[in-house]
Amino acid sequence: MGENSILKVENLTKIFKTGGLFFGKKFRAVDDVSFTLGGDSASIFTIVGESGCGKTTLARMILNLIEPTSGSIEILGKRVLELSSKERSRWLPRIIQPVFQNPFESFNPLRKVYPYLIHTAVNVAGVRDKYEAVERVNQALEAVRLSPDIADRSPYELSGGQVQRLSIARAIIPRPKLIVADEPVSMIDASLRMGILNIFKQLKEDLGINFIYITHDLATAYYISDRIAVMYKGSFAEIGEAEAIFREPLHPYTQLLIDSIPRVDRKWAGKVRVAVTEVEEYLLPGCKFADRCPYVMEICKKKAPPLTRTSGGVEVACWLYSDEKH
Ligand SMILES: Nc1ncnc2c1ncn2[C@@H]1O[C@H](COP(=O)(O)OP(=O)(O)O)[C@@H](O)[C@H]1O
Ligand code: SF4
Ligand SMILES: [Mg+2]
């Protein structure tokens, strides 16, 4: 994967300072996250976790919207922090594009959609020929299954689902290699969600676009993902093929999450206590899940578990699976 990786994230960390200058607290929203995306064919990588676990902060760093405190991001082999301002504004948007939770934020409500999309084709995608720009916009609308006349309206005349399709159309006009979609269906009417997720699948198959799909919802993660990472308090607890993780979740937190999807035949049902994630500083040593974990051991409170690759290929940060002497 290394050679043709699209995105390589290494030890990415974001610390927010809150409160005052002197008495403020430091909050580790993203804590030492590493992963690689890319391969022979396009794929959908899902980051799943409860609200507040750091998903949006991670997405915003990957999208170059906020600076990491430490760690590195490489896109097509180039370190993002070392890009020139021209590369940041011209090259990067042709490789990586966002889709946000609230589609209405992507568009000026008073402006008609079509000229906005043409503007994207000319200024972001760099299409110089007017007819080609029109063609590019029409192709994008077709790919998200919207008729071109819908774009002749203003966003406030359209439904949330339609505007989210438009924001996906806008994102694919520059023909990016990767789309980072942060909770793209959580504000959409439940009956329309699958339609949007099917568009992602189709864009992956037909146009070879990779996706980072960010969600708190395991059901949609199950539906759409090739690989998933389960995020807990800023760190990845488990990462691997979605099929393997849903079949046999290894990390006790993943078991808790999957257990919360109603199923009667789960052997671990009832073992893991459900609690709301509190916002707190992660200064305690050891495993972040120790206070909720039914399998907690002495080592768990003293030392953070390293990510360990299991024989099934899944990586899990839990002492239960580590060969390291403890
Ligand atoms: N600009 C900020 N300043 C301080 N804290 C922040 C800021 N942005 C996010 N946080 C905090 O970081 C944590 C992770 O937030 P976020 O990345 O939005 O999580 P998620 O998207 O998983 O819900 C939360 O506790 C949030 O309050
Ligand atoms: S490292 Fe220990 S506390 Fe953490 S999830 Fe594994 S068993 Fe539970
Ligand atoms: Mg979020």
Side-chain angles (χ1 to χ4, degrees):
M1 197 188 273
E3 282 298 295
N4 48 3
S5 84
I6 290 166
L7 174 71
K8 192 170 173 200
V9 168
E10 274 184 321
N11 309 112
L12 204 60
T13 297
K14 180 71 187 181
I15 298 174
F16 289 117
K17 295 185 180 69
T18 53
L21 189 57
F22 298 107
F23 303 104
K25 275 190 175 178
K26 284 183 177 174
F27 181 75
R28 213 170 259 270
V30 173
D31 188 8
D32 200 21
V33 165
S34 302
F35 65 95
T36 305
L37 284 192
D40 296 334
S41 53
S43 66
I44 298 179
F45 177 61
T46 296
I47 299 171
V48 65
E50 288 161 288
S51 170
C53 74
K55 303 181 297 296
T56 294
T57 306
L58 177 58
R60 290 174 67 81
M61 286 193 280
I62 293 167
L63 286 164
N64 198 31
L65 298 172
I66 54 171
E67 287 226 352
T69 307
S70 59
S72 78
I73 301 168
E74 270 180 29
I75 293 177
L76 294 179
K78 295 186 185 189
R79 280 174 169 262
V80 172
L81 287 175
E82 290 165 12
L83 293 179
S84 66
S85 57
K86 191 174 171 194
E87 280 176 312
R88 273 174 198 247
S89 62
R90 302 223 161 224
W91 178 76
L92 207 52
R94 292 184 200 173
I95 309 295
I96 174 166
Q97 278 286 324
V99 170
F100 296 111
Q101 181 170 9
N102 182 352
F104 289 96
E105 279 173 11
S106 303
F107 295 93
N108 179 339
L110 301 174
R111 219 171 136 194
K112 294 232 191 296
V113 169
Y114 206 81
Y116 179 85
L117 296 178
I118 293 287
H119 182 268
T120 304
V122 173
N123 292 287
V124 183
V127 177
R128 291 283 160 256
D129 182 81
K130 197 176 143 195
Y131 295 100
E132 204 187 317
V134 170
E135 186 59 26
R136 187 77 81 97
V137 169
N138 288 345
Q139 279 170 358
L141 290 171
E142 198 184 321
V144 301
R145 295 175 215 146
L146 283 178
S147 85
D149 50 289
I150 233 167
D152 205 26
R153 304 196 209 150
S154 307
Y156 67 83
E157 296 175 278
L158 303 172
S159 71
Q162 286 170 324
V163 181
Q164 193 58 299
R165 281 168 193 247
L166 280 174
S167 76
I168 298 165
R170 184 204 53 75
I172 63 174
I173 286 171
R175 300 194 171 146
K177 297 214 176 314
L178 171 65
I179 288 179
V180 180
D182 187 0
E183 305 264 12
V185 295
S186 54
M187 288 179 72
I188 308 295
D189 197 89
S191 62
L192 302 173
R193 285 182 191 157
M194 287 307 174
I196 304 260
L197 296 177
N198 283 334
I199 289 173
F200 289 170
K201 279 189 174 187
Q202 191 116 37
L203 293 174
K204 176 188 87 165
E205 302 290 333
D206 297 350
L207 303 180
I209 299 175
N210 293 275
F211 285 85
I212 295 181
Y213 171 57
I214 292 177
T215 185
H216 63 276
D217 173 29
L218 268 179
T220 56
Y222 179 67
Y223 180 70
I224 197 178
S225 315
D226 295 301
R227 292 172 73 224
I228 72 167
V230 177
M231 196 169 183
Y232 185 71
K233 291 189 179 178
S235 305
F236 284 175
E238 183 161 0
I239 174 168
E241 297 293 322
E243 195 269 325
I245 290 179
F246 280 99
R247 182 170 24 89
E248 190 189 359
L250 299 177
H251 197 284
Y253 176 60
T254 317
Q255 295 176 359
L256 164 92
L257 284 182
I258 291 181
D259 193 29
S260 65
I261 305 177
R263 277 244 339 233
V264 285
D265 58 343
R266 297 270 173 217
K267 59 181 181 300
W268 53 81
K271 277 193 188 163
V272 185
R273 186 163 54 91
V274 183
V276 179
T277 309
E278 298 115 37
V279 176
E280 59 185 56
E281 244 184 314
Y282 310 138
L283 288 178
L284 291 170
C287 174
K288 293 169 179 177
F289 194 59
D291 58 338
R292 295 168 70 182
C293 182
Y295 312 104
V296 61
M297 301 169 279
E298 268 315 301
I299 180 74
C300 306
K301 295 178 195 157
K302 293 188 187 130
K303 206 171 159 194
L307 263 182
T308 305
R309 184 177 287 272
T310 61
S311 55
V314 170
E315 288 178 277
V316 57
C318 172
W319 284 118
L320 291 172
Y321 305 93
S322 174
D323 290 335
E324 215 176 284
K325 290 246 178 304
H326 55 268

